[in-house]
Amino acid sequence: MLQLTSSNLPAGMSANQYLNLPLQQQVNIWAQQVGNSNTSGGYQTLANNSSIGGTAVTPGMMSACFQFGPGICKNDVAYMQANGGACPTAGNGGFRATGATLSNGTANLDGNNQSICSWGQAIQSKINQAAATCSNSGGTNCPDGATTPGGAISPSPSSAPLSLPDNFG
């Protein structure tokens, strides 16, 4: 559910140990290891701009940035800024996340060759589908009059299966 690189796992924890933890413990570890690091750098650049070099910043792109973490997000934003808003791909100078590219700080694609742009489009499509469903029929977790349609829809407390740790913020 929540991606961490092996270098982001707590000291002495293997990927298999992390994957075998109950989901709430995975959420807690992810929030501690990655969550707070997305308050600056690439994520903050996206949050403060409606576009990067003409490429629209969407809630889906911001979600992908948060999911991929500060290193890949920062590198994606820098690539976009240097290339007129073009997003990195495996064919145009993108660097897939591997042990080496994560260690030397050059990764701007995840392990599946997705950038914050490509993965952000997939996430945005789901956001748009949810917004359309709400607009057409209403329903659980639909935005109210104070929420922007097409934006992130937070779950109501009764339907939220997970809670974040108190220190997440």
Side-chain angles (χ1 to χ4, degrees), residues 4-5 8-9 21 25 28 34 52 58 104 107 119 146 151 166:
L4 286 175
T5 64
N8 285 342
L9 289 171
L21 291 173
Q25 284 183 273
N28 292 348
V34 176
I52 304 290
T58 66
N104 68 21
W119 193 239
D166 292 336

Side-chain angles (χ1 to χ4, degrees), residues 31-113:
Q32 290 165 352
Q33 299 297 103
V34 176
N36 292 332
S37 62
N38 281 293
T39 59
S40 62
Y43 186 87
Q44 199 62 37
T45 300
L46 294 175
N48 291 324
N49 292 281
S50 61
S51 69
I52 304 290
T55 298
V57 174
T58 66
M61 184 185 289
M62 292 181 66
S63 296
C65 171
F66 195 84
Q67 181 181 0
F68 289 169
I72 291 175
C73 182
K74 172 186 64 92
N75 291 344
D76 276 5
V77 169
Y79 185 96
M80 293 170 69
Q81 290 170 326
N83 291 284
C87 301
T89 67
N92 74 358
F95 293 97
R96 185 176 158 271
T98 64
T101 60
L102 290 168
S103 293
N104 68 21
T106 59
N108 57 10
L109 303 173
D110 76 350
N112 297 310
N113 284 325

